[in-house]
Each structure stands twice: as C-alpha cells, then as structure tokens.
Amino acid sequence: MKIWTSEHIFNHPWEMVIKAAMQKYPNPMNPSVVGVDVLDRKIDTQGCLHSKRLLSTEWGLPSIVKSLVGNARTYTYVQEQSVIDPKEQTFELQSSNITFTNMVSVDEKLTYKPHPEDPEKTILTQEAIISVKGVSLSSYLEGVMASTISTNAGKAEVFIAIANRKKRREMITVMLGQ
Amino acid sequence: MNSVGEACTELKREYDTCFNRWFAEKFLKGDRSGDPCTESFRKYQRCVQAAIKEKEIPIDGVDFMGPNKDNDRR
C-alpha cells in the first residue's frame, strides 16, 4: 500500500481555478482519460453542488491488443464524487476505480481552497492511496503508479489554459508562469 | 471529450455547455434561480444509463450525503 500526498499552488483565484477544473478534460497532459460522464448532480439545502461522475480511462495498450480483447476490457472506470461549497469556497473530490478492483485499488482525494495567505491564489491538496493486490512486485508497481500521479499533478496548471479558450493572452501567461 | 456511450457524446456536449454557463454565471455568483439544464440532462442521462447497463459498468448507488467511501472491495 502506498500513500502519496502533494500540494500545488495556482496563481489564480479560487473561482477561476474551479471553472477550469470543471472543464479539465480533455487534457493533453493526461490523455489516458478518454471519457467523462455526469451521472447525477444536485444542490443540497445548504446550497452545495454535489456531482457524481464516471471517468473512462485507457491503459494505452497497443491497438492490436485492444482489437483482440475489445475496448470494454482495456478501459478502467473510475467513479468520482465531488462537493462544491460556493460560500466557503471549497471543492472536494474523491474518486476510486470501480473495475479491476481485484487487482488494484486507487483512491484519490483532491481539495481546492483559496490560499490562506493570498486570496488571489488557490491551493490544491491531493492524496492518493494505492494498493496492488496479489502480485509479488506490488511495492514496485505501487511506486510506479504514485510517480505517475505525481507527474500529472505537476502539470495541473496547464488545464486552466486549455479551459480559457477565449482569453488567449491569459492562457499564454498561465502556461509560462508558475 | 467523449461519453462512455458513443451515441451519447452529442447529448453530453449539449448538457455540458448548458451546465458550464449556469455554473460560471449563476451558481458561483450565488444565484440560485432555476436550473435551465434539467431537460438536456434528462435526455443525456437516458442515453448514458443505457450505455452503462450495456457495458455492465459497476456503478454504486447514488449517495448524496457526501462522498461515498463504502466501497465493498474484496
């Protein structure tokens, strides 16, 4: 079992980061996500928006393998629950894989909040718990998966650029800046 | 971005466009006035639920008391 955590600071206010995060896919920095569907969405009595989504991810297997076993067997499906509190300015997401659960379990939790010291910035904390089951090299594989998640987290800021298609100048600024 | 059901991608795009606009212009600004997307969501959902059933994707029951961590893993 491997637990991985990270923190990333966006140089943009929370509202802007959330709008971009809601349109995070397609994301060329994480092309393994090939499908996103909203399964349900509700606003609760406190005014918080709850969403349940299904993400289809692809392993990147060679197309000959895919043609032999069919897409359904080469996709991994992830179920994600999220809550946005617009008054408190928090966006929390939790996701788990729902297929191949007898082989691997990846649970992720993300939280976006305004930076406590600078309201023009947003802080993303990310946690992942990864378990690979019944495989003697499991620790090594868990390490590989954690390092993939870590690499993707470092590219988080690019998705803001992609969501803001109309604001070209801002996009260039975001991509160049830290 | 595609839907899990290939036939649902267009319905998904219609719903997403409606939702993203409402989200940015109303929800984040504290405006709780009616959700204009219920009809497009309904059409989109009918298609997605059929695709999920056909592909036998094991979705948990809907739980809106907060994120569902009661996954039964064996």
Side-chain angles (χ1 to χ4, degrees):
Chain A
M1 176 150 118
K2 188 146 209 103
I3 297 173
W4 168 88
T5 61
S6 97
E7 217 173 65
H8 180 86
I9 295 174
F10 294 89
N11 291 318
H12 303 279
W14 183 83
E15 246 189 55
M16 181 174 165
V17 174
I18 295 318
K19 281 188 264 192
M22 295 302 275
Q23 302 179 61
K24 186 174 174 181
Y25 302 110
N27 179 354
M29 307 311 282
N30 186 4
S32 61
V33 177
V34 298
V36 179
D37 282 292
V38 178
L39 301 181
D40 206 344
R41 219 161 224 158
K42 295 241 163 57
I43 299 184
D44 68 18
T45 50
Q46 271 85 51
C48 296
L49 179 70
H50 295 252
S51 302
K52 179 168 143 171
R53 300 200 306 175
L54 172 69
L55 276 62
S56 311
T57 68
E58 200 182 64
W59 293 20
L61 292 173
S63 45
I64 188 161
V65 177
K66 287 193 268 190
S67 63
L68 288 172
V69 301
N71 272 346
R73 308 251 302 268
T74 62
Y75 281 11
T76 303
Y77 294 102
V78 172
Q79 191 165 310
E80 175 203 273
Q81 301 267 158
S82 65
V83 188
I84 301 178
D85 184 334
K87 288 191 295 289
E88 296 299 310
Q89 295 196 315
T90 58
F91 181 21
E92 280 187 18
L93 304 95
Q94 286 197 21
S95 70
S96 306
N97 60 302
I98 55 172
T99 53
F100 301 103
T101 50
N102 56 331
M103 285 162 56
V104 67
S105 156
V106 180
D107 292 291
E108 281 190 82
K109 181 173 170 182
L110 284 75
T111 307
Y112 295 85
K113 290 184 182 174
H115 194 287
E117 283 143 33
D118 184 351
E120 293 304 302
K121 295 186 179 172
T122 301
I123 193 163
L124 164 64
T125 22
Q126 208 165 339
E127 266 173 45
I129 300 175
I130 301 157
S131 302
V132 175
K133 297 162 194 180
V135 176
S136 57
L137 295 175
S138 56
S139 292
Y140 169 71
L141 289 172
E142 286 169 4
V144 168
M145 291 181 75
S147 127
T148 304
I149 293 175
S150 168
T151 304
N152 287 340
K155 296 165 186 168
E157 199 151 317
V158 177
F159 73 70
I160 293 189
I162 290 153
N164 269 330
R165 284 192 182 90
K166 289 177 195 167
K167 299 181 187 175
R168 297 270 164 203
R169 198 177 307 151
E170 220 166 316
M171 180 169 86
I172 293 162
T173 309
V174 165
M175 288 179 84
L176 291 176
Q178 283 303 310
Chain B
M1 187 85 278
N2 294 328
S3 168
V4 66
E6 295 77 17
C8 311
T9 296
E10 199 42 54
L11 292 170
K12 169 188 143 67
R13 290 212 182 114
E14 267 178 47
Y15 167 70
D16 281 347
T17 304
C18 179
F19 171 78
N20 287 326
R21 193 181 310 130
W22 169 83
F23 182 73
E25 294 169 14
K26 304 273 183 186
F27 179 76
L28 286 181
K29 301 200 187 307
D31 185 339
R32 297 274 170 271
S33 63
D35 178 357
C37 309
T38 38
E39 193 46 43
S40 60
F41 187 64
R42 208 172 302 156
K43 284 191 241 175
Y44 163 49
Q45 274 310 292
R46 268 201 292 268
C47 185
V48 166
Q49 293 298 331
I52 286 170
K53 217 170 270 181
E54 186 207 283
K55 295 179 192 232
E56 296 180 353
I57 299 171
I59 305 288
D60 287 346
V62 178
D63 172 15
F64 280 86
M65 299 310 288
N68 180 10
K69 287 304 284 176
D70 292 334
N71 288 322
D72 188 17
R73 294 191 190 286
R74 273 172 231 269

